[in-house]
Amino acid sequence: MSKTFFVLNGPNLNMLGRREPGIYGGKTLADIEADCHAFGAENGCAIDFRQSNHEGVLVDWLHEAAYSAAGVAINAGAYTHTSVALHDAIRAIGIPVIELHISNVHAREEFRHKSLIAAAVKGVICGFGPLSYILSLQALKTLTQ
Ligand code: CA2
């Protein structure tokens, strides 16, 4: 049976492609989802791609991933910089989690330089535009081989 990777997206990522193309590029989240499914088809893995604006929903999905996924790529959006709950949820599950960002958060406002989830994840990929998603899936594939 093929592996499943969860790709989880946090607040405001449903707005991608509509505003701030200079920071996040012109792709919508649906375009990025299609790219992730293409990666899955080429690499023999299933992609479960989700977005929520609610912190607790993201916590629930991380818990769900523990028993139904081989790994998680998460763009936690602004919760990256604020959420102890996401940090604890990532630590509570025994599968690799990759933190990803479309933009280079370190080249932006100072409040984006700190990640509360970085210490809990396997690794961080940021600044490659939508390619950050594919690089994260490639990392998960390699880590779970
Ligand atoms: O660069 C990333 O992927 C971020 O996770 C995106 C978050 C931001 O809070 C993080 O610091 C870095 C923002 C999500 C998208 O926000 C939009 C705002 C306006 C228009 C479109 C999207």
PDB file of all heavy atoms in Angstrom, residues 12-34:
ATOM      1  N   ASN A  12      -5.197  32.000   6.410  1.00  0.00           N
ATOM      2  CA  ASN A  12      -5.060  32.934   5.276  1.00  0.00           C
ATOM      3  C   ASN A  12      -4.438  32.323   4.025  1.00  0.00           C
ATOM      4  O   ASN A  12      -4.403  32.975   2.981  1.00  0.00           O
ATOM      5  CB  ASN A  12      -4.286  34.198   5.685  1.00  0.00           C
ATOM      6  CG  ASN A  12      -5.017  34.977   6.756  1.00  0.00           C
ATOM      7  OD1 ASN A  12      -6.191  35.295   6.588  1.00  0.00           O
ATOM      8  ND2 ASN A  12      -4.357  35.249   7.867  1.00  0.00           N
ATOM      9  N   LEU A  13      -3.985  31.088   4.111  1.00  0.00           N
ATOM     10  CA  LEU A  13      -3.381  30.502   2.904  1.00  0.00           C
ATOM     11  C   LEU A  13      -4.420  30.240   1.822  1.00  0.00           C
ATOM     12  O   LEU A  13      -4.074  30.120   0.641  1.00  0.00           O
ATOM     13  CB  LEU A  13      -2.587  29.245   3.272  1.00  0.00           C
ATOM     14  CG  LEU A  13      -1.261  29.641   3.950  1.00  0.00           C
ATOM     15  CD1 LEU A  13      -0.726  28.539   4.833  1.00  0.00           C
ATOM     16  CD2 LEU A  13      -0.224  30.036   2.900  1.00  0.00           C
ATOM     17  N   ASN A  14      -5.709  30.221   2.204  1.00  0.00           N
ATOM     18  CA  ASN A  14      -6.787  30.140   1.203  1.00  0.00           C
ATOM     19  C   ASN A  14      -6.873  31.413   0.359  1.00  0.00           C
ATOM     20  O   ASN A  14      -7.541  31.423  -0.673  1.00  0.00           O
ATOM     21  CB  ASN A  14      -8.129  29.870   1.892  1.00  0.00           C
ATOM     22  CG  ASN A  14      -8.438  30.865   3.001  1.00  0.00           C
ATOM     23  OD1 ASN A  14      -7.586  31.117   3.852  1.00  0.00           O
ATOM     24  ND2 ASN A  14      -9.620  31.429   3.008  1.00  0.00           N
ATOM     25  N   MET A  15      -6.171  32.476   0.790  1.00  0.00           N
ATOM     26  CA  MET A  15      -6.198  33.741   0.047  1.00  0.00           C
ATOM     27  C   MET A  15      -5.054  33.861  -0.965  1.00  0.00           C
ATOM     28  O   MET A  15      -4.958  34.869  -1.690  1.00  0.00           O
ATOM     29  CB  MET A  15      -6.116  34.927   1.018  1.00  0.00           C
ATOM     30  CG  MET A  15      -7.208  34.958   2.049  1.00  0.00           C
ATOM     31  SD  MET A  15      -8.842  35.037   1.306  1.00  0.00           S
ATOM     32  CE  MET A  15      -8.882  36.741   0.799  1.00  0.00           C
ATOM     33  N   LEU A  16      -4.209  32.869  -1.027  1.00  0.00           N
ATOM     34  CA  LEU A  16      -3.052  32.927  -1.944  1.00  0.00           C
ATOM     35  C   LEU A  16      -3.481  33.186  -3.374  1.00  0.00           C
ATOM     36  O   LEU A  16      -4.510  32.655  -3.826  1.00  0.00           O
ATOM     37  CB  LEU A  16      -2.282  31.596  -1.925  1.00  0.00           C
ATOM     38  CG  LEU A  16      -1.316  31.338  -0.780  1.00  0.00           C
ATOM     39  CD1 LEU A  16      -0.654  29.997  -1.006  1.00  0.00           C
ATOM     40  CD2 LEU A  16      -0.280  32.439  -0.652  1.00  0.00           C
ATOM     41  N   GLY A  17      -2.667  33.974  -4.080  1.00  0.00           N
ATOM     42  CA  GLY A  17      -2.939  34.252  -5.488  1.00  0.00           C
ATOM     43  C   GLY A  17      -3.852  35.440  -5.697  1.00  0.00           C
ATOM     44  O   GLY A  17      -3.994  35.940  -6.807  1.00  0.00           O
ATOM     45  N   ARG A  18      -4.502  35.899  -4.610  1.00  0.00           N
ATOM     46  CA  ARG A  18      -5.454  37.013  -4.741  1.00  0.00           C
ATOM     47  C   ARG A  18      -4.837  38.331  -4.301  1.00  0.00           C
ATOM     48  O   ARG A  18      -5.189  39.376  -4.795  1.00  0.00           O
ATOM     49  CB  ARG A  18      -6.705  36.741  -3.906  1.00  0.00           C
ATOM     50  CG  ARG A  18      -7.406  35.488  -4.400  1.00  0.00           C
ATOM     51  CD  ARG A  18      -8.520  35.085  -3.455  1.00  0.00           C
ATOM     52  NE  ARG A  18      -8.777  33.662  -3.615  1.00  0.00           N
ATOM     53  CZ  ARG A  18      -9.861  33.070  -3.176  1.00  0.00           C
ATOM     54  NH1 ARG A  18     -10.788  33.731  -2.543  1.00  0.00           N
ATOM     55  NH2 ARG A  18     -10.020  31.771  -3.354  1.00  0.00           N
ATOM     56  N   ARG A  19      -3.930  38.282  -3.305  1.00  0.00           N
ATOM     57  CA  ARG A  19      -3.275  39.478  -2.781  1.00  0.00           C
ATOM     58  C   ARG A  19      -1.805  39.164  -2.575  1.00  0.00           C
ATOM     59  O   ARG A  19      -1.425  38.010  -2.452  1.00  0.00           O
ATOM     60  CB  ARG A  19      -3.871  39.877  -1.414  1.00  0.00           C
ATOM     61  CG  ARG A  19      -5.320  40.248  -1.453  1.00  0.00           C
ATOM     62  CD  ARG A  19      -5.515  41.770  -1.476  1.00  0.00           C
ATOM     63  NE  ARG A  19      -6.881  42.108  -1.842  1.00  0.00           N
ATOM     64  CZ  ARG A  19      -7.894  42.209  -0.973  1.00  0.00           C
ATOM     65  NH1 ARG A  19      -7.666  42.010   0.309  1.00  0.00           N
ATOM     66  NH2 ARG A  19      -9.099  42.509  -1.386  1.00  0.00           N
ATOM     67  N   GLU A  20      -0.985  40.213  -2.501  1.00  0.00           N
ATOM     68  CA  GLU A  20       0.439  40.102  -2.194  1.00  0.00           C
ATOM     69  C   GLU A  20       1.194  39.118  -3.087  1.00  0.00           C
ATOM     70  O   GLU A  20       1.979  38.311  -2.583  1.00  0.00           O
ATOM     71  CB  GLU A  20       0.627  39.728  -0.715  1.00  0.00           C
ATOM     72  CG  GLU A  20      -0.142  40.646   0.225  1.00  0.00           C
ATOM     73  CD  GLU A  20       0.589  40.956   1.515  1.00  0.00           C
ATOM     74  OE1 GLU A  20       1.564  41.716   1.436  1.00  0.00           O
ATOM     75  OE2 GLU A  20       0.170  40.445   2.562  1.00  0.00           O
ATOM     76  N   PRO A  21       1.000  39.187  -4.420  1.00  0.00           N
ATOM     77  CA  PRO A  21       1.750  38.272  -5.294  1.00  0.00           C
ATOM     78  C   PRO A  21       3.257  38.502  -5.243  1.00  0.00           C
ATOM     79  O   PRO A  21       4.029  37.580  -5.509  1.00  0.00           O
ATOM     80  CB  PRO A  21       1.179  38.563  -6.691  1.00  0.00           C
ATOM     81  CG  PRO A  21       0.602  39.933  -6.585  1.00  0.00           C
ATOM     82  CD  PRO A  21       0.116  40.076  -5.167  1.00  0.00           C
ATOM     83  N   GLY A  22       3.663  39.733  -4.850  1.00  0.00           N
ATOM     84  CA  GLY A  22       5.100  40.032  -4.735  1.00  0.00           C
ATOM     85  C   GLY A  22       5.777  39.224  -3.650  1.00  0.00           C
ATOM     86  O   GLY A  22       6.974  38.947  -3.724  1.00  0.00           O
ATOM     87  N   ILE A  23       5.012  38.835  -2.634  1.00  0.00           N
ATOM     88  CA  ILE A  23       5.585  38.033  -1.535  1.00  0.00           C
ATOM     89  C   ILE A  23       5.343  36.548  -1.764  1.00  0.00           C
ATOM     90  O   ILE A  23       6.245  35.722  -1.594  1.00  0.00           O
ATOM     91  CB  ILE A  23       4.960  38.459  -0.177  1.00  0.00           C
ATOM     92  CG1 ILE A  23       5.310  39.912   0.130  1.00  0.00           C
ATOM     93  CG2 ILE A  23       5.450  37.536   0.947  1.00  0.00           C
ATOM     94  CD1 ILE A  23       4.596  40.468   1.355  1.00  0.00           C
ATOM     95  N   TYR A  24       4.118  36.197  -2.156  1.00  0.00           N
ATOM     96  CA  TYR A  24       3.743  34.777  -2.197  1.00  0.00           C
ATOM     97  C   TYR A  24       3.610  34.202  -3.608  1.00  0.00           C
ATOM     98  O   TYR A  24       3.351  33.006  -3.759  1.00  0.00           O
ATOM     99  CB  TYR A  24       2.417  34.577  -1.446  1.00  0.00           C
ATOM    100  CG  TYR A  24       2.492  34.995   0.008  1.00  0.00           C
ATOM    101  CD1 TYR A  24       1.721  36.043   0.499  1.00  0.00           C
ATOM    102  CD2 TYR A  24       3.357  34.347   0.887  1.00  0.00           C
ATOM    103  CE1 TYR A  24       1.797  36.427   1.831  1.00  0.00           C
ATOM    104  CE2 TYR A  24       3.447  34.729   2.214  1.00  0.00           C
ATOM    105  CZ  TYR A  24       2.663  35.777   2.682  1.00  0.00           C
ATOM    106  OH  TYR A  24       2.750  36.148   3.989  1.00  0.00           O
ATOM    107  N   GLY A  25       3.797  35.056  -4.645  1.00  0.00           N
ATOM    108  CA  GLY A  25       3.653  34.561  -6.012  1.00  0.00           C
ATOM    109  C   GLY A  25       2.201  34.558  -6.442  1.00  0.00           C
ATOM    110  O   GLY A  25       1.301  34.929  -5.679  1.00  0.00           O
ATOM    111  N   GLY A  26       1.967  34.116  -7.668  1.00  0.00           N
ATOM    112  CA  GLY A  26       0.630  34.220  -8.257  1.00  0.00           C
ATOM    113  C   GLY A  26      -0.203  32.966  -8.150  1.00  0.00           C
ATOM    114  O   GLY A  26      -1.378  32.954  -8.526  1.00  0.00           O
ATOM    115  N   LYS A  27       0.375  31.873  -7.636  1.00  0.00           N
ATOM    116  CA  LYS A  27      -0.384  30.618  -7.577  1.00  0.00           C
ATOM    117  C   LYS A  27      -1.419  30.655  -6.461  1.00  0.00           C
ATOM    118  O   LYS A  27      -1.164  31.195  -5.383  1.00  0.00           O
ATOM    119  CB  LYS A  27       0.561  29.443  -7.335  1.00  0.00           C
ATOM    120  CG  LYS A  27       1.322  29.003  -8.577  1.00  0.00           C
ATOM    121  CD  LYS A  27       1.970  27.643  -8.382  1.00  0.00           C
ATOM    122  CE  LYS A  27       2.598  27.174  -9.696  1.00  0.00           C
ATOM    123  NZ  LYS A  27       3.127  25.817  -9.597  1.00  0.00           N
ATOM    124  N   THR A  28      -2.554  30.046  -6.725  1.00  0.00           N
ATOM    125  CA  THR A  28      -3.554  29.857  -5.673  1.00  0.00           C
ATOM    126  C   THR A  28      -3.212  28.588  -4.890  1.00  0.00           C
ATOM    127  O   THR A  28      -2.379  27.768  -5.319  1.00  0.00           O
ATOM    128  CB  THR A  28      -4.961  29.700  -6.279  1.00  0.00           C
ATOM    129  OG1 THR A  28      -4.980  28.480  -7.040  1.00  0.00           O
ATOM    130  CG2 THR A  28      -5.312  30.890  -7.162  1.00  0.00           C
ATOM    131  N   LEU A  29      -3.902  28.424  -3.762  1.00  0.00           N
ATOM    132  CA  LEU A  29      -3.666  27.201  -2.979  1.00  0.00           C
ATOM    133  C   LEU A  29      -4.119  25.971  -3.776  1.00  0.00           C
ATOM    134  O   LEU A  29      -3.506  24.905  -3.652  1.00  0.00           O
ATOM    135  CB  LEU A  29      -4.394  27.288  -1.628  1.00  0.00           C
ATOM    136  CG  LEU A  29      -3.918  26.285  -0.569  1.00  0.00           C
ATOM    137  CD1 LEU A  29      -2.435  26.477  -0.226  1.00  0.00           C
ATOM    138  CD2 LEU A  29      -4.775  26.373   0.690  1.00  0.00           C
ATOM    139  N   ALA A  30      -5.151  26.136  -4.602  1.00  0.00           N
ATOM    140  CA  ALA A  30      -5.603  25.021  -5.456  1.00  0.00           C
ATOM    141  C   ALA A  30      -4.513  24.638  -6.463  1.00  0.00           C
ATOM    142  O   ALA A  30      -4.321  23.443  -6.760  1.00  0.00           O
ATOM    143  CB  ALA A  30      -6.893  25.402  -6.172  1.00  0.00           C
ATOM    144  N   ASP A  31      -3.791  25.638  -6.991  1.00  0.00           N
ATOM    145  CA  ASP A  31      -2.668  25.340  -7.907  1.00  0.00           C
ATOM    146  C   ASP A  31      -1.589  24.539  -7.179  1.00  0.00           C
ATOM    147  O   ASP A  31      -1.027  23.569  -7.728  1.00  0.00           O
ATOM    148  CB  ASP A  31      -2.025  26.638  -8.423  1.00  0.00           C
ATOM    149  CG  ASP A  31      -2.951  27.476  -9.288  1.00  0.00           C
ATOM    150  OD1 ASP A  31      -3.834  26.899  -9.953  1.00  0.00           O
ATOM    151  OD2 ASP A  31      -2.772  28.714  -9.307  1.00  0.00           O
ATOM    152  N   ILE A  32      -1.288  24.967  -5.940  1.00  0.00           N
ATOM    153  CA  ILE A  32      -0.246  24.274  -5.159  1.00  0.00           C
ATOM    154  C   ILE A  32      -0.706  22.863  -4.816  1.00  0.00           C
ATOM    155  O   ILE A  32       0.086  21.908  -4.882  1.00  0.00           O
ATOM    156  CB  ILE A  32       0.090  25.092  -3.890  1.00  0.00           C
ATOM    157  CG1 ILE A  32       0.778  26.410  -4.291  1.00  0.00           C
ATOM    158  CG2 ILE A  32       0.959  24.290  -2.938  1.00  0.00           C
ATOM    159  CD1 ILE A  32       1.007  27.382  -3.145  1.00  0.00           C
ATOM    160  N   GLU A  33      -1.988  22.726  -4.497  1.00  0.00           N
ATOM    161  CA  GLU A  33      -2.523  21.381  -4.222  1.00  0.00           C
ATOM    162  C   GLU A  33      -2.343  20.480  -5.449  1.00  0.00           C
ATOM    163  O   GLU A  33      -1.940  19.314  -5.325  1.00  0.00           O
ATOM    164  CB  GLU A  33      -4.009  21.465  -3.831  1.00  0.00           C
ATOM    165  CG  GLU A  33      -4.603  20.085  -3.587  1.00  0.00           C
ATOM    166  CD  GLU A  33      -6.018  20.124  -3.039  1.00  0.00           C
ATOM    167  OE1 GLU A  33      -6.619  21.218  -2.972  1.00  0.00           O
ATOM    168  OE2 GLU A  33      -6.514  19.037  -2.671  1.00  0.00           O
ATOM    169  N   ALA A  34      -2.628  21.032  -6.638  1.00  0.00           N
ATOM    170  CA  ALA A  34      -2.466  20.240  -7.871  1.00  0.00           C
ATOM    171  C   ALA A  34      -1.000  19.820  -8.044  1.00  0.00           C
ATOM    172  O   ALA A  34      -0.716  18.673  -8.436  1.00  0.00           O
ATOM    173  CB  ALA A  34      -2.950  21.043  -9.077  1.00  0.00           C
TER     174      ALA A  34
END
